[in-house]
Every structure is written in C-alpha cells, then in structure tokens.
C-alpha cells in the first residue's frame, strides 16, 4: 500500500505544487487548507506523514503539531515554513524534521524519503 | 549714588544677554560708582568646590581661583555675609589677592536659597564702611539675579535641545520598527507565491524535455525566481532576532573552506585567482556554523562582485592575542570614500544587481558572535574586510 502524506498549507498554489511533486515521487497525497481541517482529516483518514506549514490563520502549525503529538505520538511531522528562524522556537522541537520553504523541492523530497523510508 | 548704581545695573541686566560680558560691565559700573580700585566677581563651582574669577575691573592684583575656605571669598562663603578686612590682614586666611591693597570688602552673591559667588572689592587706601556699604548691598543682589537668569536660560536651552534629540531618536526608532514589520510581512507574502511560481516552472521544464525551444524561457524564469528567493531569504535573515543561534566549537578555517566551495564557478567565469594563507592548525571559535558560513559567503561574494574585470581574492586567517583575525582582500579598486560610511547600512548598494544586504548581514552575524568587521580601504587598489572573533578557550 502506498504511504499517504497530508499536506497542510493555507496557500492553494503550494498545496497543488506539493501534491503533484510528491505524487511524482510515488506517494499518495491528501490536502488540508487549515489547521482545523488537518485534525479532521487525521481523525478520519489513514495518514503516514504530515507536511505542516507553520504560519496559518486560525489554528497555526505549532498548535497542530502539539495536538498531533498528543494524540498520534508516532506520526511523523515535517515543519515547513518561510521563516528560517522558527527552527529555534521551542514549540517546533517536537517535529521530526524542519524544512525551509524553497522553490527547489529537493530537500523536502529527500526529507520525506528519509522519514517514510525508515518506517517501511 | 545708590539710585545711579541700581539704575545702571538694571539697564545692563535687561540689555545684556551674555553673562561674561554682563558681569564684566557690571564690575566696571561698580568700580566707577564706588571708592574702590579693584572690583572682581568670583563664581562658586559647586562640583569642583572652588571659586573662579569670572569678571574683573581695575588694575590691581587678583587671584584666578580660590579653593573652598581659602582667602577672603572663602571667609564670605563660611559666614554667608559681608567680610571687611584691612592691612595687615590679621584674623583671616592668607590671600595673595590683597597684595598692594590696604582695604578689602567682599559680599556674597545670593539669590533665593542659592549661593552663586562673591563680589570682591579692594582699595589701596583704608576706607570707612558707611560710604559704600549701601551701594554694594544694592549691587550684589542685581549681580546674583543676573547670574541666576542666565543660568536658567542656558539650562532651559540645554534641556530643550536634549528633549528635541530624544524625541527625534524615538521617532527614528518607531519608523525603523514600522519598516521592519512591513519588510517582514512583505517578505512572507512574496515568498509563498514565489515558491509556487518557481516550483511550477521547474515542473514545466521537466515536461518540456531537453530539445524544446521554450527551454531557455523557463530556465530564465527559474533563474530569476531563485534570485528573488535569495533576496527574500536575506531580508528575513537580517530581520530575524539576534538571539536565535545554534553555537558550537568550530574551526574557522573549516568554515571558510565550506563557504569557498560555492564559488568555484564564479572564480573561473570572473577570471579571479584565489590566494589562501590559512593559519596552520585549528582556530577554535564558538559559533553558529551556518551563520558564519553565510557571513563569509556574503563577504566573498562582495569581493568577487567588486572585481568585474578579474583580479585576486586573498583570504588570510591568523591569531592576534585573544582574537581570530580573518582578512578578505580584493583587488577591485577599493571603495569610493564618499560611500565608506554607508556600506554596512541595509539596502545601500553601488552594484547593478546588488541587494545592499550582504555586508549588513555579515556585520550583524559578526556582532552576534561578539566579533566585529573593519574595513581597510586603499583607493585604486582594493578593499580588505578584517573580521575579528574571540578565540574559544
């Protein structure tokens, strides 16, 4: 069975880009446009990895991360943001990886492979 | 007589704005209107606890200053009342200012609770007090008020200048903070759509295949997107708070070599030769490796950009007492002296494609590491950026 990634980002263009790129890599991709929607999907779908934007209106990425780690301890989360300095925010320590957003998706795809590869 | 001296002094007080000039003229008026041969005004300096001569009329001897308790002025301050003395000057401290005189009379200069100094009068002949006492008693408060008014004026002026400066500083800080907020949210707003554009352009490139005529167009798009992305990342890095760094013991030579790796193509294309003179052995520094690499990266890029027609980049590392010293020297003709004070200001650039962020970022990173950057400029030859960092124990 294909591993399934949940992409959480409030930018429609980025959701589409991540979906196409990750599907090309052979993963299945689910999308959520807000923190609230991502929790709903996690409750109802089988998800193997969360790709999470930090800065979102409403429930932000740090809050989603906290809830995920409370309820689904073993579910890996990659934090993904425009700000390089979130790396040092203690709220983000619990994530399994941290990727700074870039139009070059090599690092992101590599990180996904490392994490999902490990779990297989 | 009494009316004459007070009239002339009050005229003077209203006309004269300068304290030195006013007191000098006042001393002259008092001398003319009294039987004395010498009239001096001593002001009391509360901080130094000394009297110094402020104004003088007459040709006799006078002392430039009296320390506390010294001479006739010292006696006046102690008694806070007039002092009269005559030759042979017994019963008081020695006062060289009385040399050549037969009689001395001094009056405190008080206004309200404040003591400002002493009006000190001397005569060659012995005098009988009633002939002048009234005039001096009238003149002294005039002088004291004159001093008080001028002091208040200059104090007010100073305070209003200071207030103005403080207000300007607050306004500048507020403007800068608003600018930082704006730049930060602008950078964020631009970055997301930019990633989308760049990401899809990369997909488009893959779809086109290597023989497509449209390939150069897409490649140009990708190149430009990456350029703007680097600029945005630079702005974000510059605006981020300085405390967030991840420091470990590192070797400065290793960090420098890492930074150099990215420039192989630039050296070749730009016809630039590299001269390395690295310290033999380790140069330990407590640093955020990623940040220091960025600082070197910016300085090397800056040096390369300054050598448009090729040249030599010389990198030197060494030790000077407790500091690690890194020198980044180019042969790009140096910096125009008119610009030298601005090179570390964000967004200042003289280059066609410069962002004006390379040097400010390098500078702020050095500060985060308790280091500094200095520039040695040799016009017509080149510029050398000298970085100093504390050596890790």
């Amino acid at each position: 069975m294909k591993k399934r990634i949940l992409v959480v980002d409030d930018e429609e263009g980025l959701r589409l880009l991540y979906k196409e790129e990750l599907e090309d890599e052979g993963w299945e991709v689910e999308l959520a446009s807000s923190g609230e929607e991502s929790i709903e999907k996690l409750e109802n779908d089988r998800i193997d990895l969360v790709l999470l934007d930090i800065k979102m209106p409403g429930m932000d990425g740090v809050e989603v991360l906290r809830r995920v780690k409370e309820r689904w301890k073993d579910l890996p989360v990659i934090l993904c943001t425009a700000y390089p300095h979130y790396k040092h925010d203690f709220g983000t320590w619990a994530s399994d990886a941290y990727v700074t957003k870039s139009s070059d998706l090599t690092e992101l795809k590599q990180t996904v492979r490392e994490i999902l590869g490990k779990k297989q | 007589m009494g009316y004459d001296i007070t009239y002339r002094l009050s005229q003077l007080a209203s006309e004269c704005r300068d304290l030195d000039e006013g007191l000098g003229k006042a001393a002259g008026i008092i001398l003319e209107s009294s039987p004395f041969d010498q009239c001096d005004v001593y002001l009391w300096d509360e901080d130094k606890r000394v009297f110094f001569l402020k104004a003088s009329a007459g040709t006799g001897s006078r002392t430039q200053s009296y320390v506390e308790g010294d001479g006739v002025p010292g006696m006046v301050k102690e008694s806070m009342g007039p002092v009269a003395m005559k030759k042979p000057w017994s019963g008081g401290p020695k006062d060289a200012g009385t040399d050549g005189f037969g009689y001395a009379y001094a009056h405190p200069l008080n206004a309200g609770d404040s003591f400002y100094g002493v009006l000190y009068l001397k005569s060659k002949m012995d005098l009988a007090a009633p002939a002048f006492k009234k005039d001096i008693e009238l003149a002294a408060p005039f002088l004291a008020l004159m001093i008080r008014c001028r002091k208040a004026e200059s104090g007010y002026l100073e305070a209003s200048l200071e207030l103005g400066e403080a207000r300007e500083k607050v306004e500048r800080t507020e403007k800068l903070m608003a600018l930082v907020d704006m730049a930060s949210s602008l950078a964020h707003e631009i970055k997301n759509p930019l990633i989308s554009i760049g990401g899809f352009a990369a997909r488009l490139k893959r779809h086109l295949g290597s023989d497509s005529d449209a390939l150069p167009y897409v490649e140009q798009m990708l190149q430009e997107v990456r350029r703007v992305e680097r600029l945005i990342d630079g702005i974000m890095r510059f605006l981020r708070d300085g405390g967030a760094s991840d420091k470990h013991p590192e070797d400065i030579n290793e960090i420098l070599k890492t930074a150099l790796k990215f420039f192989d193509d630039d050296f070749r294309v730009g016809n630039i030769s590299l001269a390395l003179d690295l310290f033999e052995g380790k140069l330990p520094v407590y640093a955020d490796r990623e940040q220091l690499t960025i600082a070197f990266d910016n300085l090397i890029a800056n040096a390369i950009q300054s050598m448009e027609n090729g040249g030599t980049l010389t990198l030197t590392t060494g030790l000077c007492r407790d500091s690690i010293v890194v020198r980044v020297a180019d042969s790009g003709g140096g910096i125009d002296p008119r610009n030298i004070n601005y090179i570390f200001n964000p967004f200042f650039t003289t280059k066609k494609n410069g962002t004006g962020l390379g040097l400010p970022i390098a500078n702020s990173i050095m500060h985060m590491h308790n280091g500094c950057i200095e520039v040695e400029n040799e016009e017509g030859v080149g510029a050398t950026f000298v970085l100093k960092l504390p050596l890790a124990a």
Side-chain angles (χ1 to χ4, degrees):
Chain A
M1 202 184 344
K2 275 187 182 176
K3 297 270 170 138
R4 192 180 287 162
I5 303 167
L6 176 63
V7 172
V8 191
D9 201 306
D10 59 319
E11 292 270 339
E12 196 190 350
L14 291 186
R15 286 199 302 274
L16 191 61
L17 176 68
Y18 290 157
K19 183 178 164 64
E20 301 219 334
E21 288 282 314
L22 292 169
E23 279 175 354
D24 282 358
E25 291 274 300
W27 314 111
E28 245 176 60
V29 179
E30 283 288 322
L31 301 175
S33 61
S34 69
E36 290 82 354
E37 196 189 341
S38 73
I39 299 293
E40 231 180 86
K41 293 241 170 180
L42 284 166
E43 281 167 347
N44 300 315
D45 294 334
R46 172 187 61 84
I47 301 291
D48 299 295
L49 169 71
V50 183
L51 200 63
L52 186 58
D53 182 29
I54 292 184
K55 204 174 177 239
M56 289 183 292
M59 192 194 292
D60 71 359
V62 177
E63 178 59 21
V64 174
L65 176 66
R66 195 181 63 79
R67 295 193 188 195
V68 167
K69 289 295 169 184
E70 265 172 21
R71 294 176 63 182
W72 301 281
K73 280 189 184 61
D74 298 327
L75 179 62
V77 177
I78 299 176
L79 278 178
C80 212
T81 184
Y83 290 104
H85 56 284
Y86 267 114
K87 210 173 190 168
H88 307 281
D89 185 328
F90 74 81
T92 66
W93 285 356
S95 72
D96 298 84
Y98 181 99
V99 175
T100 304
K101 280 183 176 178
S102 161
S103 67
D104 182 355
L105 298 179
T106 317
E107 189 193 354
L108 174 71
K109 287 189 277 193
Q110 174 69 25
T111 310
V112 171
R113 271 199 299 274
E114 276 167 18
I115 291 175
L116 289 183
K118 245 192 306 199
K119 287 196 78 189
Q120 264 164 351
Chain B
M1 188 80 125
Y3 172 76
D4 180 54
I5 194 167
T6 47
Y7 175 74
R8 288 178 67 189
L9 286 175
S10 65
Q11 282 283 99
L12 179 70
S14 62
E15 281 166 10
C16 197
R17 311 302 300 172
D18 181 73
L19 186 61
D20 285 18
E21 189 192 339
L23 289 178
K25 284 188 177 166
I29 292 169
I30 294 166
L31 197 67
E32 279 171 29
S33 323
S34 69
F36 288 96
D37 300 302
Q38 180 73 33
C39 174
D40 301 324
V41 180
Y42 286 90
L43 293 192
W44 172 246
D45 187 324
E46 188 65 34
D47 296 331
K48 294 181 183 143
R49 308 209 66 82
V50 65
F51 288 98
F52 60 92
L53 184 65
K54 186 74 172 169
S56 182
T59 51
S61 69
R62 53 194 188 268
T63 306
Q64 283 304 314
S65 62
Y66 291 95
V67 296
E68 193 169 20
D70 195 19
V72 175
M75 287 171 77
V76 173
K77 187 173 183 292
E78 267 161 34
S79 67
M80 276 298 164
V83 169
M85 287 188 79
K86 59 177 156 182
K87 228 172 174 177
W89 317 109
S90 52
K94 201 174 157 14
D95 188 340
T98 57
D99 287 355
F101 293 106
Y103 183 85
Y105 183 83
H107 200 285
L109 297 173
N110 289 322
D113 293 334
S114 302
F115 173 75
Y116 293 111
V118 171
L119 176 63
Y120 191 4
L121 298 142
K122 288 169 274 187
S123 153
K124 286 178 182 139
M125 310 284 291
D126 189 5
L127 295 174
F132 60 84
K133 209 165 176 271
K134 189 91 185 150
D135 280 351
I136 304 306
E137 270 171 12
L138 286 168
F142 262 101
L143 262 62
L145 279 172
M146 211 156 117
I147 297 163
R148 182 188 207 161
C149 287
R150 298 297 171 264
K151 279 199 170 174
E153 267 177 19
S154 68
Y156 172 76
L157 204 67
E158 224 169 81
S160 62
L161 274 175
E162 267 172 35
L163 193 67
E165 272 169 28
R167 193 176 292 144
E168 241 174 65
K169 206 170 168 184
V170 168
E171 277 170 14
R172 270 204 304 273
T173 312
E174 276 175 356
K175 267 187 206 160
L176 196 66
M177 282 170 70
L179 195 69
V180 164
D181 274 355
M182 196 198 70
S184 180
S185 59
L186 196 65
H188 188 258
E189 289 308 313
I190 292 171
K191 188 155 181 186
N192 277 336
L194 197 65
I195 292 167
S196 191
I197 295 167
F200 284 114
R203 286 187 69 74
L204 195 57
K205 187 183 159 186
R206 261 175 273 146
H207 277 276
L208 284 175
S210 56
D211 55 347
S212 168
D213 291 343
L215 201 60
Y217 307 153
V218 182
E219 270 171 356
Q220 186 69 28
M221 284 163 67
L222 276 170
Q223 215 177 324
E224 298 297 330
V225 166
R226 298 266 148 84
R227 190 157 73 89
V228 182
E229 249 185 277
R230 273 202 299 276
L231 167 65
I232 301 271
D233 283 347
I235 293 171
M236 285 177 157
R237 212 169 278 134
F238 184 75
L239 298 177
R240 79 182 222 177
D241 57 337
S245 58
D246 193 12
K247 291 180 185 168
H248 300 284
E250 303 280 358
D251 176 21
I252 208 92
N253 285 340
E254 285 307 312
I255 297 181
L256 199 58
K257 282 180 201 161
T258 312
L260 272 172
K261 273 184 206 161
F262 302 107
F263 291 99
D264 287 348
D265 283 350
D266 298 89
F267 289 139
R268 193 172 36 76
V269 176
N271 196 23
I272 289 162
S273 55
L274 176 66
L276 272 183
D277 182 11
L278 301 185
F279 185 78
E280 280 178 36
K282 283 195 172 181
L283 285 173
V285 62
Y286 193 64
D288 183 318
R289 193 184 172 88
E290 196 186 329
Q291 286 185 2
L292 266 198
T293 310
I294 290 165
F296 289 140
D297 186 275
N298 280 315
L299 288 167
I300 294 167
N302 181 68
I304 290 171
Q305 283 162 14
S306 76
M307 297 184 279
E308 279 179 331
N309 304 314
T312 306
L313 173 71
T314 311
L315 296 177
T316 317
T317 58
L319 204 53
C320 178
R321 280 184 227 110
D322 294 336
S323 294
I324 292 171
V325 181
V326 181
R327 298 172 65 88
V328 180
D330 64 60
S331 60
I335 301 159
D336 187 330
R338 284 172 298 185
N339 296 333
I340 205 133
N341 289 330
Y342 306 108
I343 57 170
F344 291 112
N345 286 6
F347 308 114
F348 176 83
T349 185
T350 56
K351 294 165 193 139
K352 219 176 356 180
N353 289 320
T355 62
L357 284 170
L359 293 179
I361 287 169
N363 194 29
S364 84
I365 290 172
M366 290 306 287
H367 279 289
M368 280 180 226
H369 287 83
N370 302 316
C372 64
I373 303 184
E374 285 160 16
V375 59
E376 290 171 7
N377 191 37
E378 210 176 328
E379 246 194 301
V381 182
T384 304
F385 287 85
V386 184
L387 289 76
K388 287 178 188 159
L389 283 162
L391 184 71

